[in-house]
Amino acid sequence: DGGITQSPKYLFRKEGQNVTLSCEQNLNHDAMYWYRQDPGQGLRLIYYSQIVNDFQKGDIAEGYSVSREKKESFPLTVTSAQKNPTAFYLCASSIEGAGRRNEQYFGPGTRLTVT
Amino acid sequence: GNSVTQMEGPVTLSEEAFLTINCTYTATGYPSLFWYVQYPGEGLQLLLKATKADDKGSNKGFEATYRKETTSFHLEKGSVQVSDSAVYFCALSGAAGNKLTFGGGTRVLVKP
């Protein structure tokens, strides 16, 4: 089955530690995205990548880093510089095409708790 | 910039009631519009979409019509079920590729 996988589903870390969240897709999508969701709120874009080896900051990139070395993978690192890292993190992907606005497909999410 | 405003919840309904969730947007050009649904502890699933004015998206009994004159994309369902309890997000994709702008989400609770 094609889809997006995120692992782990729950992640616990101590304050001051960096942590990397995994996102893999086998949909052959060019574009991938990372969002953050806080309780009772909408989604905010952290980073996105439209092609391998290229990525752009979203609205709340501070304290986060990403890489896009392979088309199917887009890991997100939450660094110790992120002041409020506890949140639900969602990865998404979409077909990229000039002049087209395609829907995004989402993974199941990773809930990160930092204490 | 682009923005999406949707009604705040929670919206509490009885089974078989009519559901409407209002969504209005601000965007330049001609955005595509989407409704996503999120069940507890899960990611978002695309519910329906519309890509041009007067298009009607529909899926699983839900409908929404792209109204450019009122910049709206209200979600409706004629008869809700308990299984429709979820958070619903309105979103738009503007001129710059597939980046989505989301509304704040509306929690819907359907009671038997």
Side-chain angles (χ1 to χ4, degrees):
Chain A
D1 286 339
I4 302 175
T5 57
Q6 292 185 244
S7 60
K9 190 168 179 63
Y10 299 95
L11 192 52
F12 298 89
R13 281 293 183 271
K14 295 291 188 184
E15 196 173 320
Q17 293 178 335
N18 291 354
V19 59
T20 297
L21 281 59
S22 167
C23 177
E24 304 277 333
Q25 55 98 1
N26 61 4
L27 300 168
N28 200 33
H29 287 172
D30 295 301
M32 297 186 74
Y33 312 80
W34 274 105
Y35 293 91
R36 170 184 172 132
Q37 185 179 26
D38 292 287
Q41 297 188 31
L43 280 70
R44 292 183 289 170
L45 182 65
I46 305 172
Y47 267 99
Y48 65 103
S49 167
Q50 293 173 298
I51 195 170
V52 175
N53 292 322
D54 188 39
F55 47 83
Q56 287 77 42
K57 294 182 179 179
D59 301 317
I60 56 165
E62 185 175 350
Y64 298 98
S65 66
V66 293
S67 63
R68 186 85 188 278
E69 297 176 0
K70 298 185 297 183
K71 186 176 185 177
E72 58 270 23
S73 179
F74 192 40
L76 173 74
T77 297
V78 184
T79 75
S80 57
Q82 168 51 232
K83 297 191 186 317
N84 296 296
T86 295
F88 189 48
Y89 290 88
L90 287 158
C91 179
S93 70
S94 69
I95 299 170
E96 196 70 5
R100 297 172 62 186
R101 302 193 198 101
N102 300 302
E103 61 269 27
Q104 293 182 15
Y105 295 83
F106 284 80
T110 292
R111 188 167 299 280
L112 173 65
T113 302
V114 177
T115 57
Chain B
N2 297 337
S3 68
V4 176
T5 302
Q6 58 182 110
M7 57 191 291
E8 290 192 21
V11 175
T12 303
L13 303 164
S14 297
E15 211 165 17
E16 299 184 2
F18 186 87
L19 170 67
T20 298
I21 304 176
N22 289 341
C23 171
T24 57
Y25 67 89
T26 302
T28 55
Y30 301 90
S32 292
L33 301 172
F34 306 88
W35 276 102
Y36 283 86
V37 59
Q38 184 179 35
Y39 298 102
E42 298 184 7
L44 274 67
Q45 299 175 27
L46 178 68
L47 185 57
L48 52 85
K49 69 176 183 179
T51 58
K52 60 183 186 296
D54 300 324
D55 265 4
K56 177 185 283 188
S58 61
N59 186 27
K60 299 181 181 178
F62 290 90
E63 292 183 341
T65 301
Y66 190 145
R67 301 286 189 200
K68 188 160 179 63
E69 63 276 14
T70 54
T71 61
S72 65
F73 193 53
H74 306 321
L75 182 68
E76 297 181 336
K77 186 174 185 181
S79 177
V80 294
Q81 305 300 313
V82 172
S83 57
D84 293 325
S85 298
V87 180
Y88 293 82
F89 291 94
C90 185
L92 71 81
S93 178
N98 297 328
K99 284 175 58 181
L100 289 175
T101 300
F102 284 90
T106 302
R107 182 175 299 277
V108 172
L109 176 61
V110 181
K111 296 187 174 180

